[in-house]
Amino acid sequence: MGNGFMGSILRVDLSSGSLDVLDVDEEVARKYLGGKGYSVYLLWQYLKEYEKEGLSARDVDPLGEENVLIFGTGPATGVAGFPEAGRYHVMALRSPLTGSIASANSGGKWGPYLKFAGFDMIVIEGASSEPVYLEIIDGVAELRKASDLWGRSVFDTTAILERRYEEKVSVACIGPAGENLVNYAAIMNDYHRAAGRTGVGAVMGSKMLKAIVVGGSFRPEIAKPDEFKEATKSALDKIKQNPVTGEGLPKYGTAVLVNVINESGALPYKNWQGAYHEKANDISGETMAEKYLDRNHACWGCSIACGRATSVKKGPWQVLNSEGPEYESIWSLGNDTGVIDLEAIIKANHLCDELGLDTISMGSAIACAMELYERGKLTLEDTQGIEYNFGNPVALVDGVWKTAYRIGVGKYLALGSKRMAEIFGLDVSMSVKGLEMPAYDPRGIKGIGLNYATANRGGCHVTGYTVSPEIIGLPEKIDPLTYEGKAQWVKVFQDFTSTVNSTVNCLFTTFALGADDYASLLSAVTGWDMGAEDILTIGERIYNLERLIINKFGFNGKDDTLPRRLFEDPVPEGPTKGQVVSKEDFEKMKEEYYRLRGWVNGVPTEEKLKELGIV
Amino acid sequence: MGNGFMGSILRVDLSSGSLDVLDVDEEVARKYLGGKGYSVYLLWQYLKEYEKEGLSARDVDPLGEENVLIFGTGPATGVAGFPEAGRYHVMALRSPLTGSIASANSGGKWGPYLKFAGFDMIVIEGASSEPVYLEIIDGVAELRKASDLWGRSVFDTTAILERRYEEKVSVACIGPAGENLVNYAAIMNDYHRAAGRTGVGAVMGSKMLKAIVVGGSFRPEIAKPDEFKEATKSALDKIKQNPVTGEGLPKYGTAVLVNVINESGALPYKNWQGAYHEKANDISGETMAEKYLDRNHACWGCSIACGRATSVKKGPWQVLNSEGPEYESIWSLGNDTGVIDLEAIIKANHLCDELGLDTISMGSAIACAMELYERGKLTLEDTQGIEYNFGNPVALVDGVWKTAYRIGVGKYLALGSKRMAEIFGLDVSMSVKGLEMPAYDPRGIKGIGLNYATANRGGCHVTGYTVSPEIIGLPEKIDPLTYEGKAQWVKVFQDFTSTVNSTVNCLFTTFALGADDYASLLSAVTGWDMGAEDILTIGERIYNLERLIINKFGFNGKDDTLPRRLFEDPVPEGPTKGQVVSKEDFEKMKEEYYRLRGWVNGVPTEEKLKELGIV
């Protein structure tokens, strides 16, 4: 197409086994770009179609064949020279974990390789009655039997398929957790990269789709090579000179944040009973670099290389040839469970990759189980002989693999913290809309709390990462403890991020690049003249349409809130000692946010939808 | 029937879902007793029937619906006062691990409870197309759906079913290993008791039979109460006064043997590269009693109580509420893998129980993998980042659960050491007929080597436990290092044991009781007048008929042998330093054994069969 897109969407009906190809609709692409935006547009069409057929959105079973799973790249993905465009976005109509929309994003090389195979997106409908995998090589797609792969780990499956295609492909697959329909199973690509959140791996498992193999020699073409050269040079310079993308991330990976957030009094500890721990440095990126780092590891075409190749050379948690853990994983598997033991964390993280589990929800579910255990709800009989006290690395490591196979205590953990806590009758799930919140405590960072509450997919930081201004000071430093003005930041970050996830590009670029940089880059790639305002408007359109979808599932203002603990239990110690999220201030912030969004009680108004050109 | 039998055999055809009841044939019972003997008789009938239908024995697929699985008790099982009669025997026509007959034996309370439910035996034919379990309560049997149990661990399954029947039952089931058709999956009953060897759990898994629940208020009736009272009093006295059953086993469990056998230079070390280890006491029954024993644990009606309730209170291998490990498990999971770490062994043993794996084959397979790794055949890529050096407890613990789920290196381990070693092209499987040998090195105990070689199910110690005279000195002490006269001991032990396993009773009674004691006890129970010679003849008959079956599968004299290492590699250190099994002496011993048996090249002669009244 000469606009960064390959121009083709592969549609696969797993129920019938039929495949067909749709053209990318340029009108849609101009309004929603690719990746997340185009996927949201398609999901909305499915929902309308279902309603016409008499299937209400609320009756869509996340693990039924009516769920739709979409893999999407955008105009930037796989474009040589585009800074850090090695990612893809995955969405499904409905998440088994939350009942809201499912959405996840991953790096590695799979996204670019999908485009090299000739397609921008893959839409998966229906469900197979036997294990299959999808092969897409040089424009030709086929479904193949995967009975020999079913039951295999992520690493086995990837290695077997890579060899079968002589290493010329990239493999995205599910592990045992996805096959066993664990509510927060991930889709894994290139061994260690995860489209982790909201259980997209379980959706894939419910369809009996084990893997998608992509590769080929197609390359995306761009519209304006000269402008592109100029825009990328400027962007790369900014990325290089930026303290986060130029130094912090390359040097210590995302785990550089452990000490930063802990010292801000916002690193949740022991299922959010605290927000600070004096020994957090034991599990920091700095400590990891000193003791367990083998080398850095970059996604396709990335200049930052925040990935970590790591190993634990000996001891009970030995793992060689591992990757990560990322900041979020260190926090969830370590700080949140009280396991201040980087070796056990690396092991647990490795098992999450091997078995295909979202580390944030996994660690959070274990932390929740530990609180249930310490409060006498979960018993030693439930855990079958393992103490679920906070800080027990055995519970952590055993809990991970038992979750993937849903045995023992894993049968509770696999449900996610919300349903598990309901079963045991104690309100200690630290989740929003059922999605476990990540590693920033709103009691110490007020803006991120509003983002968690209003994020369409549930408790999520990358929907609108206000931590950047509130803590890191990018693009400017604001006070994390105030409520004023945060609504505007949340809205802008959510909109901008929606565009980035539709580009599809790495969110970390936004530490260094603003909407104007994205406008220059995307205008050069697509040939469509876009300004900074267009970039934000596209994101706002995507965000509003996504909100319309979740409204259909019954989510509205009542669900745009935070767990009780954050309002009621003050941080017990550390820099934010005594802080809660003030219910009154939170509600004010939320009202301000709704006003800025043009929403009433979490629902977009007709006026706003018209303004954005959403049908 | 008034002869210890309940008189009824339940036959279940899982393919059609039909159940019927057969009478126990007294004529057969007089010739073969119950348990193993009656099962061998039935399996022989099936084989003859199959041949009539045109299915050759060699074409019987161990995991096909043509395999037959039999659970058997005998006239002593569940008889109050009969010393240690809490066991049952399991057989299948063919083992997935060996291709020979499958045979295993277990304690707990399941055997007696089957009789209390009204049946002596259960014969399982065919295969279900969906997970089911079998319920037998007070004479009424039904198949029930088990889709909610499929995928569950042994502990979960047992607990769920016990609760469903208000704790009035006993549960035998398979774990994930059996479902996943691991070649040496066990059938587990009463949580920690295993019918472990030859993969009977995989046979059960292939039939999609998850569990058998038994219970009721029937009780076996005996023929001669007065004689019985006298016989049991005498037997119990002997058991109490015997140094092994009266002191060693109650005090230290079976693990009392660790130091004894190590000091005899016959405790195989690092996949049988050695036969002695100076730190074996670190993993002995004495050390277990000192550090990890919570209390003793007895099977139904047992006065010995050799079972161990154990726990590891903290550290990376924490396990609370565990049982065992037995001597064999300590050896295979510990000494044979070089993991001289009782905590890691307890953990690995616990996982074998939880997942339903035979500990002997599991540990031996890991030991074999370690030798393959150290010799450069198995790579770090195969093990996905875990060093398989001897002595690494991580490889041990990870290896166990990965085997149950057949992921990573587990996909090789699950095949058993013989097939794994073949794949990697190195002759280091320490097995006979594909069954991994247990914890007594024939280089230091010559008689047990002849027993391993000639045991119908493959490398097995409990087929004819000549360790009793050779090492322990019961019923008399003989020199373990000589070959002379061993053939006769092997034959007698194999025959007597066959009777014990058909009684069905605990083999440990034979430390204290001889054929004459069994004659008195069984005569009183059955009312059939039996002398010591009859006891041995019944056993010989069983053993010969079992041999006829394995001949049909193609096993004969060429398979009655030992692994190359035992003939060629001398013991490197310890009390038996320099010892091998002399090939020449072994062959002489074997010829003598065949002569005593009336066999030619491992095949019973017509004359012998006529003499024994085998049709």
Side-chain angles (χ1 to χ4, degrees):
Chain A
M1 291 172 91
N3 57 7
F5 286 89
M6 310 309 293
S8 299
I9 298 170
L10 177 69
R11 186 170 58 182
V12 181
D13 180 347
L14 287 172
S15 295
S16 67
S18 68
L19 293 82
D20 65 347
V21 178
L22 311 173
D23 291 335
V24 169
D25 183 333
E26 186 171 325
E27 199 186 332
V28 175
R30 279 178 180 256
K31 286 174 77 175
Y32 293 96
L33 292 173
K36 176 174 175 173
Y38 208 114
S39 300
V40 166
Y41 170 82
L42 290 173
L43 293 174
W44 179 246
Q45 310 308 315
Y46 275 99
L47 216 48
K48 286 197 298 186
E49 195 57 39
Y50 285 163
E51 288 188 338
K52 267 190 217 159
E53 292 166 4
L55 176 67
S56 147
R58 296 197 192 206
D59 291 333
V60 168
D61 177 357
L63 300 175
E65 59 181 332
E66 64 269 31
N67 205 355
V68 181
L69 182 68
I70 306 181
F71 296 76
T73 67
T77 313
V79 170
F82 199 110
E84 342 308 7
R87 301 184 73 87
Y88 66 101
H89 204 85
V90 186
M91 299 200 83
L93 201 45
R94 214 164 182 193
S95 155
L97 182 66
T98 67
S100 184
I101 198 164
S103 176
N105 192 288
S106 182
K109 67 183 183 190
W110 193 88
Y113 274 52
L114 173 59
K115 287 181 78 174
F116 302 165
F119 294 94
D120 297 291
M121 303 179 73
I122 310 169
V123 180
I124 314 279
E125 303 174 1
S128 174
S129 57
E130 59 172 5
V132 290
Y133 77 91
L134 178 60
E135 165 199 305
I136 316 176
I137 311 283
D138 273 325
V140 182
E142 287 190 71
L143 285 170
R144 301 202 174 277
K145 290 199 176 192
S147 46
D148 59 326
L149 299 171
W150 203 251
R152 297 264 181 257
S153 74
V154 168
F155 301 160
D156 285 343
T157 305
T158 306
I160 291 167
L161 289 172
E162 279 189 351
R163 270 175 226 160
R164 192 174 293 174
Y165 295 90
E166 297 173 341
E167 318 279 328
K168 289 169 185 162
V169 296
S170 175
V171 176
C173 67
I174 55 169
E179 296 175 12
N180 295 328
L181 309 179
V182 173
N183 277 338
Y184 44 89
I187 296 172
M188 305 294 301
N189 59 282
D190 306 307
Y191 295 93
H192 288 282
R193 292 279 142 189
R197 306 227 71 192
T198 65
V200 287
V203 175
M204 195 159 155
S206 72
K207 298 184 176 307
M208 297 200 97
L209 179 63
K210 178 68 179 174
I212 305 179
V213 178
V214 291
S217 51
F218 291 103
R219 292 295 179 273
E221 287 170 27
I222 60 175
K224 300 178 178 173
D226 292 342
E227 280 89 331
F228 180 65
K229 203 169 169 186
E230 204 174 307
T232 52
K233 190 188 171 312
S234 159
L236 282 168
D237 282 351
K238 288 182 183 174
I239 287 168
K240 207 167 181 185
Q241 281 154 28
N242 182 278
V244 175
T245 51
E247 194 181 340
L249 286 173
K251 201 163 174 184
Y252 298 120
T254 53
V256 68
L257 282 172
V258 173
N259 281 329
V260 174
I261 303 301
N262 188 53
E263 280 152 25
S264 303
L267 191 68
Y269 182 55
K270 292 187 174 178
N271 202 36
W272 302 66
Q273 294 181 100
Y276 171 79
H277 183 244
E278 56 181 5
K279 297 219 167 155
N281 185 51
D282 289 358
I283 56 172
S284 69
E286 293 86 332
T287 300
M288 183 159 72
E290 186 192 326
K291 293 187 178 171
Y292 307 106
L293 183 66
D294 295 327
R295 61 191 182 282
N296 291 8
H297 193 273
C299 294
W300 183 91
C302 177
S303 64
I304 301 174
C306 68
R308 311 282 98 176
T310 48
S311 57
V312 178
K313 298 276 188 287
K314 52 189 176 177
W317 314 122
Q318 185 191 52
V319 187
L320 309 176
N321 310 334
S322 196
E323 266 190 52
E326 302 294 333
Y327 165 66
E328 294 295 336
S329 312
I330 288 180
W331 163 77
S332 62
L333 299 166
N335 214 70
D336 199 32
T337 64
V339 177
I340 308 300
D341 175 343
L342 199 43
E343 299 191 355
I345 295 167
I346 289 172
K347 173 79 178 184
N349 178 70
H350 187 85
L351 289 179
C352 285
D353 289 356
E354 188 165 10
L355 301 167
L357 286 159
D358 174 36
T359 54
I360 299 179
S361 287
M362 181 74 260
S364 301
I366 291 172
C368 179
M370 286 170 164
E371 185 162 358
L372 291 169
Y373 181 84
E374 291 201 346
R375 295 188 191 275
K377 297 291 184 177
L378 195 73
T379 68
L380 209 54
E381 198 193 337
D382 295 317
T383 67
Q384 283 158 344
I386 293 176
E387 286 174 318
Y388 263 65
N389 292 111
F390 282 107
N392 186 355
V394 179
L396 175 67
V397 174
D398 266 38
V400 171
W401 70 260
K402 288 188 173 166
T403 296
Y405 293 106
R406 304 185 84 126
I407 70 158
V409 70
K411 67 179 175 284
Y412 300 116
L413 292 169
L415 301 173
S417 66
K418 183 161 177 273
R419 285 178 221 182
M420 175 174 63
E422 280 166 6
I423 286 171
F424 289 95
L426 206 63
D427 180 17
V428 291
S429 166
M430 297 308 290
S431 59
V432 175
K433 299 184 180 71
L435 185 68
E436 288 77 12
M437 296 183 296
Y440 311 91
D441 193 323
R443 290 172 296 192
I445 312 176
K446 309 301 186 193
I448 200 71
L450 179 61
N451 169 65
Y452 290 163
T454 60
N456 289 325
R457 74 172 180 177
C460 163
H461 58 305
V462 283
T463 295
Y465 192 66
T466 63
V467 174
S468 187
E470 293 187 283
I471 300 291
I472 302 170
L474 290 172
E476 64 185 82
K477 183 79 177 81
I478 59 174
D479 182 353
L481 295 178
T482 60
Y483 300 87
E484 291 71 30
K486 295 293 169 70
Q488 174 66 21
W489 280 103
V490 169
K491 175 184 179 296
V492 170
F493 268 84
Q494 289 177 343
D495 292 347
F496 186 29
T497 302
S498 295
T499 300
V500 173
N501 286 338
S502 309
T503 299
V504 175
N505 200 24
C506 177
L507 189 59
F508 292 166
T509 56
T510 63
F511 286 117
L513 308 180
D516 46 350
D517 300 299
Y518 265 77
S520 305
L521 285 163
L522 279 172
S523 294
V525 169
T526 60
W528 308 330
D529 195 28
M530 285 182 272
E533 202 159 319
D534 298 317
I535 292 298
L536 292 175
T537 301
I538 288 170
E540 188 177 10
R541 186 179 297 124
I542 295 166
Y543 206 76
N544 274 269
L545 184 55
E546 188 180 40
R547 172 58 61 148
L548 278 191
I549 293 175
I550 80 162
N551 290 154
K552 289 274 187 193
F553 297 133
F555 292 95
N556 56 39
K558 73 181 183 317
D559 307 295
D560 290 342
T561 188
L562 294 170
R564 183 204 54 75
R565 169 162 290 159
L566 300 184
F567 295 122
E568 294 177 11
D569 298 354
V571 174
E573 61 175 340
T576 54
K577 184 173 173 174
Q579 286 282 338
V580 292
V581 175
S582 150
K583 184 80 179 164
E584 194 188 332
D585 289 322
F586 172 81
E587 292 298 334
K588 262 194 242 169
M589 228 180 6
K590 195 168 101 175
E591 276 313 308
E592 166 76 358
Y593 171 87
Y594 285 165
R595 196 182 56 74
L596 291 167
R597 279 246 171 260
W599 292 359
V600 174
N601 190 30
V603 180
T605 56
E606 281 295 318
E607 198 184 342
K608 172 55 74 175
L609 296 176
K610 268 185 199 153
E611 174 197 321
L612 292 168
I614 298 171
V615 187
Chain B
M1 290 173 91
N3 56 5
F5 287 88
M6 309 309 293
S8 299
I9 298 172
L10 177 68
R11 186 168 59 181
V12 182
D13 180 348
L14 286 173
S15 296
S16 67
S18 67
L19 292 83
D20 64 348
V21 178
L22 312 174
D23 290 336
V24 169
D25 181 334
E26 186 170 326
E27 197 185 332
V28 175
R30 280 178 179 259
K31 286 174 78 175
Y32 294 95
L33 292 173
K36 177 175 174 173
Y38 208 113
S39 299
V40 165
Y41 170 82
L42 289 174
L43 292 175
W44 179 246
Q45 310 308 315
Y46 275 99
L47 216 49
K48 285 197 296 186
E49 195 58 39
Y50 284 164
E51 288 187 339
K52 268 190 215 157
E53 292 167 3
L55 176 67
S56 148
R58 295 199 194 206
D59 292 331
V60 168
D61 176 358
L63 301 176
E65 59 180 332
E66 65 268 31
N67 205 354
V68 180
L69 182 68
I70 305 181
F71 295 77
T73 67
T77 313
V79 171
F82 199 110
E84 342 308 6
R87 302 185 71 87
Y88 67 101
H89 203 85
V90 186
M91 299 201 82
L93 201 44
R94 212 163 186 196
S95 155
L97 183 65
T98 67
S100 184
I101 198 163
S103 176
N105 191 288
S106 181
K109 66 182 183 189
W110 192 89
Y113 274 51
L114 172 59
K115 287 181 79 172
F116 303 164
F119 295 93
D120 297 291
M121 304 179 73
I122 310 169
V123 179
I124 314 278
E125 303 174 2
S128 173
S129 58
E130 59 171 7
V132 291
Y133 76 91
L134 178 60
E135 166 199 306
I136 315 176
I137 310 282
D138 273 325
V140 181
E142 286 191 70
L143 284 169
R144 300 204 175 275
K145 291 201 176 191
S147 45
D148 60 325
L149 299 172
W150 203 250
R152 295 266 180 256
S153 76
V154 167
F155 302 160
D156 284 343
T157 304
T158 307
I160 291 167
L161 289 173
E162 279 190 350
R163 269 175 228 158
R164 193 174 293 173
Y165 295 90
E166 295 171 343
E167 320 277 328
K168 290 170 184 160
V169 295
S170 174
V171 177
C173 67
I174 54 169
E179 296 176 14
N180 295 327
L181 309 179
V182 173
N183 277 337
Y184 44 89
I187 295 172
M188 305 295 303
N189 58 282
D190 307 307
Y191 295 94
H192 288 281
R193 292 279 141 188
R197 306 229 69 193
T198 66
V200 287
V203 175
M204 194 159 155
S206 72
K207 299 186 176 307
M208 297 199 96
L209 179 63
K210 178 69 179 174
I212 305 179
V213 178
V214 290
S217 50
F218 291 103
R219 292 294 179 273
E221 287 170 28
I222 60 177
K224 300 178 176 173
D226 291 341
E227 281 88 332
F228 180 65
K229 204 170 169 185
E230 205 173 307
T232 52
K233 191 191 172 307
S234 159
L236 281 167
D237 282 350
K238 288 183 184 175
I239 286 168
K240 208 169 182 182
Q241 281 154 28
N242 183 277
V244 176
T245 51
E247 193 181 341
L249 285 174
K251 201 163 175 187
Y252 298 120
T254 53
V256 68
L257 282 172
V258 173
N259 282 329
V260 174
I261 303 300
N262 188 54
E263 281 152 25
S264 304
L267 191 68
Y269 182 54
K270 292 187 174 177
N271 200 38
W272 303 66
Q273 294 182 98
Y276 171 79
H277 184 243
E278 59 180 4
K279 297 219 167 152
N281 185 50
D282 288 359
I283 56 172
S284 69
E286 293 86 334
T287 301
M288 184 158 72
E290 186 191 327
K291 294 186 176 172
Y292 307 107
L293 182 68
D294 295 329
R295 61 191 181 284
N296 291 8
H297 194 272
C299 294
W300 183 91
C302 178
S303 65
I304 302 174
C306 68
R308 311 282 97 175
T310 49
S311 56
V312 178
K313 298 274 188 289
K314 54 189 173 175
W317 313 123
Q318 185 191 52
V319 188
L320 309 176
N321 311 334
S322 196
E323 265 191 53
E326 302 294 333
Y327 165 66
E328 295 294 338
S329 312
I330 289 179
W331 163 76
S332 62
L333 299 166
N335 215 68
D336 199 32
T337 64
V339 177
I340 309 299
D341 176 342
L342 199 44
E343 299 191 356
I345 295 167
I346 290 172
K347 173 78 179 185
N349 178 70
H350 187 85
L351 289 179
C352 284
D353 290 356
E354 187 165 11
L355 301 167
L357 286 159
D358 173 37
T359 54
I360 298 179
S361 287
M362 182 74 260
S364 301
I366 291 173
C368 179
M370 286 171 165
E371 184 162 357
L372 291 170
Y373 180 83
E374 292 201 347
R375 295 190 191 272
K377 297 290 185 179
L378 193 74
T379 67
L380 208 54
E381 198 194 336
D382 294 317
T383 66
Q384 285 159 343
I386 292 175
E387 287 173 318
Y388 263 64
N389 293 111
F390 283 107
N392 186 355
V394 178
L396 175 68
V397 174
D398 265 38
V400 172
W401 70 261
K402 287 189 174 167
T403 296
Y405 292 106
R406 304 185 85 125
I407 70 156
V409 70
K411 67 179 175 285
Y412 300 116
L413 292 168
L415 301 173
S417 66
K418 182 159 176 274
R419 287 179 218 181
M420 178 173 62
E422 280 166 5
I423 287 171
F424 289 95
L426 207 64
D427 180 16
V428 291
S429 165
M430 298 308 292
S431 59
V432 175
K433 299 184 180 73
L435 185 68
E436 288 76 12
M437 296 183 298
Y440 310 91
D441 193 323
R443 289 172 297 192
I445 312 175
K446 310 301 188 193
I448 198 73
L450 178 62
N451 168 64
Y452 290 164
T454 59
N456 288 326
R457 75 171 178 177
C460 163
H461 59 304
V462 284
T463 296
Y465 191 68
T466 64
V467 173
S468 186
E470 292 187 284
I471 301 291
I472 302 169
L474 291 172
E476 64 185 81
K477 183 79 177 84
I478 59 174
D479 182 353
L481 295 179
T482 59
Y483 301 87
E484 291 71 31
K486 296 292 169 72
Q488 174 68 19
W489 280 103
V490 170
K491 176 184 178 295
V492 170
F493 268 84
Q494 288 177 345
D495 292 346
F496 186 29
T497 303
S498 296
T499 301
V500 175
N501 287 337
S502 309
T503 300
V504 174
N505 199 24
C506 178
L507 189 58
F508 293 165
T509 56
T510 63
F511 287 116
L513 307 181
D516 46 348
D517 299 299
Y518 265 77
S520 307
L521 285 162
L522 280 171
S523 296
V525 169
T526 60
W528 309 330
D529 194 27
M530 285 181 271
E533 203 159 321
D534 298 316
I535 292 298
L536 292 176
T537 301
I538 289 171
E540 189 178 8
R541 186 178 296 122
I542 295 165
Y543 206 76
N544 274 268
L545 185 55
E546 188 181 40
R547 172 58 59 149
L548 278 191
I549 292 175
I550 80 162
N551 291 154
K552 290 273 188 196
F553 297 135
F555 292 95
N556 56 39
K558 73 180 184 314
D559 307 295
D560 288 344
T561 188
L562 294 171
R564 183 202 53 77
R565 169 163 289 160
L566 299 185
F567 294 120
E568 295 177 10
D569 299 354
V571 173
E573 61 174 341
T576 54
K577 185 173 172 174
Q579 287 283 338
V580 293
V581 175
S582 152
K583 183 80 180 166
E584 194 188 331
D585 289 323
F586 173 80
E587 291 299 334
K588 263 194 245 170
M589 225 177 15
K590 196 168 101 177
E591 277 314 309
E592 167 76 359
Y593 170 87
Y594 284 166
R595 197 181 56 73
L596 290 166
R597 279 242 171 265
W599 293 0
V600 173
N601 190 31
V603 181
T605 56
E606 280 295 319
E607 196 184 342
K608 173 54 75 177
L609 296 176
K610 267 184 201 154
E611 174 197 322
L612 293 168
I614 298 172
V615 187

